[in-house]
Amino acid sequence: MDRRTFLKTSLAGTALAAAAPASLLGGCAESKPAGEPTPLRLSFQENTAPGETLTEKLDFMEANGIVGFEPGGRGLAERVPELQQLLRGRNIQVSAICAGFSGFILAEDPAVRAEFDRTMKEIIAAAGELGSTGVIMVPAFNKQLPVMPHNADTRAYLVEQLALLGEYALGHGTTVILEPLNRSEAFYLRQVADAASICRDTACEGVCCMGDFWHMTAEETSDYGALYSGGPYLRHVHVASRGKRRMPGEDGELDNYVEGFRALKQMNYPYYVSFECGSTGDRAQTVPVALELLRSQWEQA
Ligand code: MG
């Protein structure tokens, strides 16, 4: 180990020791009064519900007890007034914003990183106006090249940059949410515990993480362990069927979420479980079946 690496390592250790107690106390999660059962707060992305227009989809969601809406981030700034108007008077909040930025944070090319920073900040500001819990991001998809090497220096760079972005998000009343994916999409970040440890090391409450049951199926050895490891940094959850990423229930026996739900209940997880999936059937039928399945598994958990 050369002096530079040693200094970096020691500094990281010191920062961590100083930061850990504060971020573990506060963290990304807000606590809920003890003793009340944790509700399952379900959310849909824009394409989840049946319906021709967004109004029809939101009507369906409201009639079916869906309390969260997760729009895509692309062009979000221009859609803020429209979305605010569509959600006014409804019992539906913006749960999270699904990506939508250009460029990526771990690009080798500074111009690509700058493009990420500019577009991500635009989405964060719009997310804040919409009262979103956060904006979902991935550090680097496999197809995004050239990318910084997968090593300790890159991780340190990511932590440093995320802390800045997290501060910016906090200034807009929202957060950034790291999403671990499966290896075929993004080798860099694949497990909830790894994402949570990056959040912790930023020592910034504006940097959170999430779990996606679809990706977890490929990468995690335990749904319970994975979601529990998100701890106070866990801000969002995605759900889909576990064989073909359709509506929960479309893959039969594979679609078991009980262990993951048990972790969320034990953590008093206060945020959303949001559908991110397609459907092979008629959504007017497959969506209510999925809701019934998830609600009964939540009871069981
Ligand atoms: Mg996802």
Side-chain angles (χ1 to χ4, degrees), residues 45 70 98 136 179-181 210-215 237-239 245 276:
Q45 288 188 342
E70 182 186 323
C98 193
I136 299 168
E179 180 170 18
L181 304 184
M210 61 173 290
D212 179 327
F213 276 101
W214 165 250
H215 299 296
V237 172
H238 277 161
V239 71
R245 208 178 193 180
E276 185 179 50

